Each structure stands twice: as structure tokens, then as C-alpha cells.
Amino acid sequence: MGVTLRRLFAMATQASQLQKPHSLCMDCLLDPQTHTIVLMPESPAPISFPQLPWEQRLDFIVDMMREMSSNTDPQQMVQAYIRKIRVLIPSDRWMALSRRDLQSPQFRITRSDLWDSPVNPWKDRNALPLLSSGLCSELIYAEQPRIINDLQIADDDPAKEYFHGMRSLQAVPQFDRGQSLNMVISMRREPNGFDPQRLPELVWVANLFGRATHNLVLSEEVKRAYEVVDRELKVVSDIQLSLLPEKLPRIPTLEIAAHYQTSQRAGGDYYDFFALPDGRWGILIADVSGHGTPAAVLMAVTHSIAHTHNGDPDPPSKLMRFINEHLAARYTNGTGTFVTAFYGIYDPKNRTIIYSRAGHCPPRIKRCSAGKIESMDAAPSLPLGIDGDEKYIDMTETLLPGDVVVFYTDGIIESRERSGELFGVERLDEIIDQCSSDPETIIRRTLLAIEDFTNDAPPLDDLTMLIAKVK
């Protein structure tokens, strides 16, 4: 008479908890001493798992693998594995050992069917029995599979109670980085209770499961570590945002809008405004090389240096030299990092901007009265932090009512689509070519164009824009 696989597992699980043969149904009987199923009345001979038709055994293994792979908690995964494996490997008692982070002859008992309730070895390691020497120590440090057909336990063995009443033993090591750090021990009440012909495949199965469990544990550890790092990065991001202007200044004859977006939790873009004598305003935009937390740290350093300058940062080259000297002397020397920057001083009275540029993207000017777009690409110099002796120069640009000035970092024009093509200055110029647009609209259209160009891919670099429209 056939037995369905789910029925087989259900019967084996129920009967493994009993101390005597127990009738499970009208036509079958399971003997917990031998873990074999007797089918009645047509099939009085016992049937063990290896004797089942290959289709049913395969069905059982597939179901077992599906359940194992569905678990995300290693403790639950082990419990499910134990229930299944006791059908595959009949035994009267079992225990698991570990010597991870221990020295010979110490070991821990991590699981035992003698315990009233399981202990989670990953969360409650100190609750596990820590023993030394004896048969368990000998087995796990030998790093070899072993079958003992006539089990004899010394009276002074520290794990003697776990072997009480057992006469044969099968030890299966589980290897990690070439060492047997864990071991599963199965026991039977009668001598010669284990078939050595099955031992190779059992070692194989146990080690595959051990690797799966270990990977799941590592996955949980990585997840927790990531959550810790993410919380710390959130703090870094909050600090970084606090360094940016809380609100945009009101500058006569200028209408201003700004956008700041990091590609990661924290980034290296930076913009700032400085109130100067005679109603003038300093406008600074900078970009630290690299991404993420290292760039954010150097961005904070740059902010600090800029705000510790004594006196007016005028002319712009004066502030550039000051920041460059301090970065090169203390922070970027030998690190390969640097900061590109553009600093201009705008005079609302005559609508002029005096500027100095340290390797930064030259701002774009839309000359609405002339219908053309120009680049503020004069005064080229090395980025800040490369050469402490670099000389920075000043240039002057006169603006007219209606002109639009676009300050930006390279993340804007270097946004890429899948083939690697860059967004580029030309596409930016097409957006700012409409003189009727206000600064907020220009920013919104630019970001939408980048999203469309990159197919909504996450930005690979920080995106910062300052738009100033001359009134």
C-alpha cells in the first residue's frame, strides 16, 4: 500500500515524540525505536525512508529544500531541518556541538532533544552548556565523521547524561573554512544502529545545510550592521544639511532658487551665501571629489574653513586662496581628494559679479536681451586642495535685467543614460533658453529632463543647482 509523502512526514514527526509503538491510522503503524513505518494488513514488513520509491523520496527532499529556502530566521530554519532530518536519519536521540571561538578541549552543546525547549545559539550563547574534554570534545576536534557501534561512556565524562541508555553513535562534522566547528551526533539504543554506507551522503547533506544556515546568519548580521551604518549616515546627512543655508537670502535685483540632492545618504556638494558690506552678497558653490561620507566630511571641513576667514572674503580670489592653503596643508595633502569651487560676489547696485573659479563647472548665462547663452569660463585655476601655492585670479561679468545665471555641480551635466551618454551642457542650455521661466521652473524642468534621460535611474552623483534671475 502506498503512503503519501506528507502523510509519511506527519506520522514520523508525531511518532518520534513517543516512547512506544503507536497506531497512527487503521492501516499503518510506526515504531519509534526503529523509525520505520509498517503498513497493515497488506504490507507487514517495515519500510524505512531509503526503501521508499525514488519519486516519493525526491518529493520529500524537494519539499524539504523549499521549506529551508523559505526561512529567513536561522533558528526557525534549524527547527524545520531537525523535523525533516529525523525522517531521513532515524535516531533515538541527537545533539549538536560547537567549538566556534573556543580552544581545545572546550565545546558547547548547542541543541539536544533532552531539553524542554530549544536555546537560540546565535542570541543566547551564554545559556548553552560549556563543557571540556570527554567524548564530545574528542569527536569534534578530531574533525572526522565517525560511527561507534558499541558505545561506552566513562563515568567522569562531562556529557554523560546526554548518552545515557544509548549504545551506538554517528557523528557528522560540519566544516567552516576548513575546520569542523560544528557537529551533529545521532544515537541509537541498540548497538550497530547506523549504516556506514549512508555516512558519506549524510556528511554531504549536513554540510550543505550548515553552509546555508551560516549564510543566513551572516545575512542577518550584515542586515543589522547595515541598519547601524544607515542610522549613523542619517545623522551625518542631518548634520550636513544643517551646514547649508536654512533659507535663501533676499538679494536686491536677484530672484533665487536652489536644489540640493545627494546620491547617497550624505554627499560632497556645497553651496553658501555671505552677506558683505555695501549690500553685496558672496555666492559660493563647491563639489568635493568622491561620494558619500568621505565627501561629506571634507564638505564640512570646507564649510568650516570658509566661515573662519578673518575679514571680508573680498575679492573672491582671497577666499579661494585661504581655503586652498588650509585644505592642502591639513586635509587633502596626499589623499588624492580635492574640491572644485566657484565663488562670486554680486553687487545689486550695478548688477555685476566678480568671480574666481577653482576647477568648477563654469556657470551658464542666458542673455535674454541678446538671445544667446554664454559661459562664465574665465579665471581658470586648479581645484582647491591640490597645490597650496596655486594662484587664483578674479574676473568681472556685468549682468542685465532678464539674464539668467545657472550655477551647478557636475552631477547635473554628467548624469548618464544606459549607453553611457552624458546629459551634457547642450541639454541644460535647451532648458534655460526660455527667458520667461522663473528659477523654480528651470530647476523643476532640469530635474524632470534628467529623470527622463536616465529612465528614472538613481543619481550616480550629487545634484546641486543655484538659479539666479536678474531683475
Side-chain angles (χ1 to χ4, degrees):
M1 170 177 286
V3 179
T4 65
L5 216 44
R6 291 188 181 278
R7 187 177 175 192
L8 166 66
F9 175 57
M11 292 188 296
T13 302
Q14 180 179 356
S16 65
Q17 301 173 353
L18 304 176
Q19 299 301 318
K20 59 183 180 180
H22 178 71
S23 176
L24 298 174
C25 57
M26 294 299 294
D27 59 354
C28 59
L29 186 73
L30 188 143
D31 185 350
Q33 302 298 318
T34 62
H35 282 72
T36 57
I37 296 174
V38 180
L39 302 179
M40 303 178 65
E42 296 90 342
S43 301
I47 298 177
S48 63
F49 182 84
Q51 295 173 309
L52 289 173
W54 72 267
E55 295 93 344
Q56 293 185 7
R57 285 184 284 120
L58 178 61
D59 229 17
F60 182 87
I61 296 298
V62 169
D63 185 62
M64 177 179 178
M65 293 301 101
R66 182 177 289 111
E67 183 175 358
M68 296 300 99
S69 64
S70 299
N71 275 293
T72 57
D73 184 299
Q75 178 72 351
Q76 294 178 2
M77 184 177 180
V78 169
Q79 294 301 317
Y81 175 77
I82 290 171
R83 292 194 302 271
K84 296 281 190 179
I85 208 67
R86 297 200 72 178
V87 177
L88 296 177
I89 312 174
S91 63
D92 299 310
R93 187 175 301 164
W94 68 274
M95 64 191 299
L97 312 176
S98 175
R99 66 181 180 100
R100 191 180 297 275
D101 302 325
L102 298 175
Q103 298 294 324
S104 177
Q106 290 186 320
F107 65 94
R108 283 188 174 91
I109 299 177
T110 57
R111 302 181 190 277
S112 170
D113 57 0
L114 293 180
W115 296 350
D116 294 332
S117 58
V119 178
N120 190 320
W122 296 286
K123 296 182 179 179
D124 303 311
R125 177 179 295 189
N126 293 333
L128 299 170
L130 177 61
L131 306 178
S132 182
S133 301
L135 178 61
C136 289
S137 177
E138 175 189 332
L139 291 172
I140 195 169
Y141 283 100
E143 300 194 336
Q144 293 291 330
R146 186 174 174 186
I147 290 177
I148 300 177
N149 289 315
D150 188 13
L151 182 61
Q152 303 291 331
I153 301 298
D155 289 339
D156 61 350
D157 192 297
K160 180 180 179 180
E161 62 180 297
Y162 292 91
F163 299 104
H164 179 71
M166 300 295 109
R167 290 298 310 278
S168 57
L169 171 152
Q170 178 177 259
V172 177
Q174 293 178 316
F175 294 94
D176 185 6
R177 298 184 181 181
Q179 290 186 307
S180 171
L181 299 184
N182 298 284
M183 177 170 279
V184 177
I185 297 177
S186 304
M187 292 167 274
R188 301 295 295 273
R189 290 186 175 87
E190 70 275 4
N192 303 297
F194 297 95
D195 180 4
Q197 295 296 324
R198 297 196 63 198
L199 188 56
E201 67 182 77
L202 295 179
V203 173
W204 187 12
V205 170
N207 277 272
L208 288 177
F209 172 75
R211 294 310 305 166
T213 307
H214 186 60
N215 289 341
L216 193 57
V217 172
L218 290 179
S219 177
E220 286 295 309
E221 291 177 352
V222 169
K223 180 181 177 182
R224 288 194 295 270
Y226 175 81
E227 289 172 349
V228 171
V229 172
D230 192 56
R231 286 195 296 270
E232 292 179 352
L233 289 179
K234 177 61 167 60
V235 174
V236 172
S237 176
D238 291 342
I239 294 174
Q240 181 184 30
L241 290 175
S242 71
L243 299 179
L244 299 177
E246 184 176 353
K247 60 181 180 179
L248 298 178
R250 289 179 172 270
I251 301 178
T253 70
L254 278 189
E255 181 183 359
I256 303 174
H259 175 79
Y260 181 86
Q261 177 183 349
T262 59
S263 60
Q264 301 177 21
R265 275 290 200 183
D269 281 5
Y270 168 47
Y271 70 89
D272 214 338
F273 296 91
F274 302 86
L276 304 177
D278 301 323
R280 296 170 302 147
W281 280 89
I283 303 173
L284 174 65
I285 185 169
D287 184 0
V288 178
S289 60
H291 310 287
T293 305
V297 171
L298 191 55
M299 174 272 206
V301 170
T302 304
H303 172 278
S304 177
I305 294 173
H307 282 264
T308 56
H309 183 273
N310 292 323
D312 295 334
D314 183 11
S317 58
K318 181 180 178 182
L319 179 63
M320 289 294 203
R321 286 195 299 271
F322 181 79
I323 297 175
N324 180 59
E325 290 171 359
H326 282 75
L327 283 177
R330 302 182 182 181
Y331 303 102
T332 60
N333 185 23
T335 66
T337 56
F338 56 87
V339 181
T340 69
F342 177 97
Y343 177 54
I345 296 178
Y346 178 72
D347 188 342
K349 295 177 182 178
N350 53 26
R351 296 182 177 86
T352 59
I353 182 169
I354 303 174
Y355 67 92
S356 184
R357 190 166 62 90
H360 196 78
C361 304
R364 310 296 289 172
I365 303 178
K366 170 60 180 178
R367 300 286 191 178
C368 290
S369 59
K372 62 180 181 179
I373 296 177
E374 299 176 355
S375 176
M376 295 175 66
D377 54 6
S381 298
L382 286 177
L384 307 172
I386 294 179
D387 182 358
D389 295 325
E390 177 71 0
K391 304 301 181 183
Y392 294 92
I393 60 177
D394 301 294
M395 296 295 293
T396 301
E397 193 75 47
T398 300
L399 303 175
L400 298 173
D403 286 352
V404 176
V405 184
V406 180
F407 308 89
Y408 59 95
T409 57
D410 60 7
I412 297 293
I413 59 173
E414 292 182 2
S415 297
R416 296 176 183 268
E417 52 105 31
R418 291 182 178 179
S419 68
E421 182 182 357
L422 300 179
F423 185 76
V425 174
E426 293 78 9
R427 288 183 176 86
L428 179 61
D429 285 348
E430 290 176 3
I431 297 170
I432 66 177
D433 196 40
Q434 300 180 29
C435 291
S436 60
S437 299
D438 60 86
E440 290 284 359
T441 300
I442 293 173
I443 289 177
R444 184 171 64 255
R445 287 178 177 171
T446 302
L447 297 178
L448 289 174
I450 290 175
E451 289 178 2
D452 182 63
F453 180 75
T454 61
N455 292 312
D456 293 324
L460 300 177
D461 198 359
D462 306 331
L463 305 175
T464 300
M465 294 185 76
L466 289 175
I467 310 293
K469 189 168 186 177
V470 183
K471 296 186 292 183

